[in-house]
Amino acid sequence: MGSLRSFNLKQYIDTFQLTGFIETGLGWGHGIQYARTFEFEKLYSIEISPQVVIKYYNTYKHDCKIETIVGNSIDGLELVFEQKIASQFKYLIFLDAHFPAADLGVAGFNDEKDNSIKYPLLNELKIIKELRADKGFKDVIIIDDLSFYSKSHKFPDSHLISHFGITPPDNDDCLDLIMNYFNETHESFLIEKFSGFGVFVPR
Ligand SMILES: C[S@@+](CC[C@H](N)C(=O)[O-])C[C@H]1O[C@@H](n2cnc3c(N)ncnc32)[C@H](O)[C@@H]1O
C-alpha cells in the first residue's frame, strides 16, 4: 500500500553510514528496485512465495549485490544476521511482508491461516531486537502498513483493510507496542502517510 519511494534513502545512508539493505516481502519488486539505485554494498530481499521470486529472477540475476532468500521472513532475517559478514554492515531494514503470494493474485489476502506467517511483523521486530539492536548494531528500520496493527488509530489508507475484506491480525491494536519497541536503542517516528510507516533511527 505504501512505498519505500516515500523515503529519501540517501539521507539515511549518509547520516547513519548504512552499507546494507534488507527487505522482508519482495512483492512487486518496487522496494528492491528503488533500493538498488543507492550505493548499498549488499541487498537482500526475503520472500515466502517461490512464484514471486521466480517472477523477478531474470531482473536481478545479473546483479551480484542482490540476494533473494526464499522463505519465511523470520528464518530469512536469522540467516542474514547470523552470517559472519553481517557484523560488517549497518542495514536499512524495510519490513513489508504480509499475505503470502496475494500481490501476484495467486492467493487471496485471507488464504494464509497461520497468523505468524500472514503477519510476521511482531516476530520480525523480536528477532531484530535480539540479534541486532540489543547487540549494539546501529541499523535503521522502516515498517510499512502499520494500519493492520492500529485499530484505534486511523491512517489515510486504513479503510482499504475493510475494502479488501482483509482479516486483521490477532493483535490488531498494538501501535504503541510497535512504536516503543526499540526505545532503548532507537528514536521512533510515526509517518501518517498511506497505510502508516514507522521509522526507527539509532540514538
Ligand atoms: C506488500 S508485498 C511487498 C511489496 C514490496 N516490498 C515492494 O516494495 O514492492 C508483501 C510480500 O510479502 C510476502 N510475504 C508474506 N508473508 C511473508 C512472510 N511471512 N515471510 C516472507 N515474505 C512474506 C508476500 O508473498 C508478498 O510478496
Side-chain angles (χ1 to χ4, degrees), residues 1 23-32 46-49 52 71-74 94 96-103 116-118 120 124 145:
M1 298 185 198
E23 166 189 63
T24 62
L26 175 64
W28 306 281
H30 297 163
I32 198 89
I46 306 164
E47 168 59 52
I48 201 164
S49 162
V52 172
N72 184 352
S73 58
I74 306 306
F94 179 46
D96 196 20
H98 29 252
F99 317 131
D103 299 317
S116 68
I117 292 177
K118 181 179 174 184
E124 291 175 347
D145 298 319

Side-chain angles (χ1 to χ4, degrees), residues 84-127:
K84 237 184 188 170
I85 199 171
S87 61
Q88 297 171 16
F89 287 98
K90 287 183 188 174
Y91 291 108
L92 185 302
I93 304 174
F94 179 46
L95 302 178
D96 196 20
H98 29 252
F99 317 131
D103 299 317
L104 274 192
V106 294
F109 287 114
N110 297 318
D111 284 5
E112 177 59 59
K113 299 302 175 215
D114 183 338
N115 252 273
S116 68
I117 292 177
K118 181 179 174 184
Y119 291 110
L121 179 66
L122 293 179
N123 286 331
E124 291 175 347
L125 296 180
K126 185 168 180 281
I127 211 135

Side-chain angles (χ1 to χ4, degrees), residues 20-87:
F21 174 83
I22 305 173
E23 166 189 63
T24 62
L26 175 64
W28 306 281
H30 297 163
I32 198 89
Q33 195 67 45
Y34 180 53
R36 74 191 294 211
T37 64
F38 296 90
E39 289 185 355
F40 291 114
E41 289 170 35
K42 186 80 198 168
L43 300 95
Y44 298 95
S45 185
I46 306 164
E47 168 59 52
I48 201 164
S49 162
Q51 290 111 311
V52 172
V53 174
I54 287 165
K55 186 168 179 223
Y56 295 107
Y57 180 72
N58 284 332
T59 316
Y60 305 124
K61 72 176 177 192
H62 299 299
D63 190 338
C64 58
K65 289 196 292 187
I66 298 180
E67 195 173 321
T68 37
I69 297 172
V70 187
N72 184 352
S73 58
I74 306 306
D75 299 334
L77 286 171
E78 219 164 21
L79 190 80
V80 173
F81 294 153
E82 284 179 346
Q83 287 174 18
K84 237 184 188 170
I85 199 171
S87 61

